Amino acid sequence: MQATGTQHIHRRHSVHTCLSIRGAQEEDPPDPQLMRLDNMLLAEGVAGPEKGGGSAAAAAAAAASGGAADNSIEHSDYRAKLTQIRQIYHTELEKYEQACNEFTTHVMNLLREQSRTRPISPKEIERMVGIIHRKFSSIQMQLKQSTCEAVMILRSRFLDARRKRRNFSKQATEILNEYFYSHLSNPYPSEEAKEELAKKCSITVSQVSNWFGNKRIRYKKNIGKFQEEANLYAAKTAVNAAHAAAAAVQNSQANSPTTPNSGSSGSFSLPNTGDMFLSMQSLNGDSYQGVQVGANVQSQVDTLHHVISQTAGYNDALAGNTMYNPHGLNANGGWQDAMTPSSVISPTEGPGSAHSDTSN
DNA sequence: GCGTATGATTTTTG
DNA sequence: CAAAAATCATACGC
């Protein structure tokens, strides 16, 4: 829009090369701060060249990407605010520069007037100009700083995904859950698998990673909450296998005190029996040292009316409630079994209020 | 409004 | 460095 004059005072460097450090010297010479501010403003598009029609550009940007619509909308909102900030910044900056120039000429005129009656050394004039410019540039610095602050706040308010987060689409969670429960024995998708999932779900790979991280930890935390979900997705992928496994469990329910075979390690969720065998082999063999949940059969019998139920191989002693099982079945973590053996959470939880960190 | 679910970030850990 | 654990901040259903 407004082609700025660009006749600013660039020369001030040569004006005061050797001035004594009196009070506040943190103005020009050592400005890592100023540099950073300038860089940031530039990077953020606040200080750089004017971009097209401001809000119109934002709208165009919103229309450009087809997939993530809401994201773009939020982004456009952000950009609108940024434009606002930039306009204020430019206006103020111009105002300051103008005032600076005016003031300088004013002082110059005064000095010239005085020079008729009194001899005024050019050094003195220079000094005055230097003072004025320093003053104004410190004001500019303040302006830049507050602008930076505003941008930061805006950024954290709009771009920080933790704030305006959206749940994934139902479809995406379906896909993720399907994968999770059909790989319960080892729910760690490879990079390729993650990419595949990300593609299918229209999310990023790191979002997939986040999802699996959250899912694993939360699943392990209390499996009870996820049982029906697990059953649901298990049934979705393989009903037949589930039946077979259920039959096996029922067979073993009568006796077999310590035979953790049955449906261990998500057998119910595998698409076919061949995979099931593979999985079991690897389970017994190497990947999964010592996760046999011996006494688990009991609980299976309890909740068998829901087909196989969990038996995923992890601890089934729900941490919160039944911490000490009469059978002494120690809850050891599933996927990485080396967890602390005495993982029974300490019962001091409610009114204990042991934490009192009122620091800052 | 409140409690829970959930995605993301930060800190801890191996 | 990746995963776990802890934590944060919002979304969502009631």
Side-chain angles (χ1 to χ4, degrees):
Chain A
M1 298 275 192
Q2 68 275 33
T4 50
T6 69
Q7 292 288 23
H8 313 324
I9 19 97
H10 294 117
R11 307 279 157 108
R12 66 192 154 102
H13 276 304
S14 56
V15 173
H16 55 54
T17 46
C18 55
L19 55 107
S20 60
I21 2 92
R22 253 307 107 81
Q25 195 233 352
E26 62 275 43
E27 305 260 358
D28 245 9
D31 40 18
Q33 295 271 85
L34 220 221
M35 283 255 288
R36 284 202 177 273
L37 292 179
D38 273 334
N39 279 343
M40 181 187 163
L41 289 175
L42 212 61
E44 219 63 43
V46 174
E50 291 262 345
K51 297 182 181 169
S55 59
S65 63
D70 23 296
N71 194 6
S72 314
I73 284 173
E74 284 162 25
H75 200 257
S76 81
D77 201 359
Y78 164 77
R79 296 223 358 187
K81 289 264 206 271
L82 190 66
T83 305
Q84 199 178 325
I85 288 176
R86 193 187 42 178
Q87 270 173 350
I88 292 173
Y89 170 77
H90 280 300
T91 307
E92 292 297 302
L93 196 63
E94 214 170 321
K95 218 193 294 179
Y96 285 145
E97 271 169 12
Q98 198 177 333
C100 180
N101 284 339
E102 275 177 21
F103 195 71
T104 304
T105 51
H106 183 64
V107 169
M108 291 287 248
N109 284 340
L110 274 181
L111 284 177
R112 208 174 315 160
E113 213 168 300
Q114 280 202 357
S115 70
R116 286 185 217 159
T117 58
R118 309 206 159 186
I120 293 179
S121 67
K123 261 278 194 320
E124 197 174 338
I125 296 175
E126 218 170 79
R127 205 168 64 84
M128 286 297 251
V129 173
I131 287 172
I132 292 168
H133 283 186
R134 275 211 303 285
K135 206 69 197 163
F136 273 92
S137 68
S138 98
I139 291 173
Q140 267 190 21
M141 168 120 162
Q142 252 173 297
L143 171 67
K144 281 176 185 175
Q145 194 156 8
S146 61
T147 304
C148 259
E149 229 167 272
V151 171
M152 292 278 230
I153 290 169
L154 185 70
R155 222 163 203 285
S156 72
R157 194 129 157 288
F158 278 84
L159 259 44
D160 191 359
R162 192 144 72 164
R163 295 181 191 268
K164 285 231 193 260
R165 75 160 239 278
R166 303 238 56 106
N167 286 354
F168 294 154
S169 71
K170 197 68 188 163
Q171 200 174 355
T173 46
E174 288 274 307
I175 292 167
L176 292 168
N177 272 318
E178 239 170 77
Y179 188 98
F180 180 81
Y181 286 111
S182 59
H183 295 74
L184 250 189
S185 60
N186 188 35
Y188 298 87
S190 64
E191 278 307 307
E192 299 146 9
K194 280 181 193 171
E195 281 170 31
E196 179 85 13
L197 286 168
K199 200 171 179 182
K200 273 202 250 182
C201 299
S202 303
I203 57 179
T204 68
V205 173
S206 52
Q207 279 179 308
V208 174
S209 296
N210 286 340
W211 191 90
F212 273 89
N214 283 325
K215 191 70 179 182
R216 281 193 300 263
I217 201 77
R218 282 163 185 164
Y219 181 86
K220 203 163 65 178
K221 205 152 182 168
N222 63 348
I223 293 175
K225 264 291 195 288
F226 293 92
Q227 266 181 11
E228 55 180 317
E229 189 178 78
N231 289 337
L232 190 127
Y233 283 99
K236 190 170 281 187
T237 45
V239 183
N240 283 343
H243 271 306
V249 171
Q250 274 190 347
N251 242 352
S252 71
Q253 82 169 5
N255 39 24
S256 79
T258 61
T259 41
N261 50 8
S262 67
S264 66
S265 126
S267 67
F268 52 82
S269 59
L270 289 169
N272 58 37
T273 51
D275 277 349
M276 176 175 114
F277 276 165
L278 273 180
S279 172
M280 282 175 61
Q281 272 182 352
S282 76
L283 187 150
N284 282 337
D286 50 282
S287 72
Y288 214 41
Q289 54 272 45
V291 182
Q292 326 106 322
V293 206
N296 210 358
V297 182
Q298 203 80 13
S299 69
Q300 280 180 6
V301 174
D302 275 349
T303 62
L304 199 65
H305 52 270
H306 252 112
V307 210
I308 43 173
S309 70
Q310 74 285 29
T311 72
Y314 325 88
N315 55 347
D316 101 277
L318 305 186
N321 302 336
T322 68
M323 35 185 76
Y324 283 122
N325 233 348
H327 298 292
L329 95 85
N330 54 350
N332 56 350
W335 302 293
Q336 95 308 0
D337 81 315
M339 283 176 60
T340 61
S342 62
S343 70
V344 193
I345 34 173
S346 54
T348 68
E349 186 188 14
S353 77
H355 69 310
S356 63
D357 52 342
T358 57
S359 66
N360 177 276

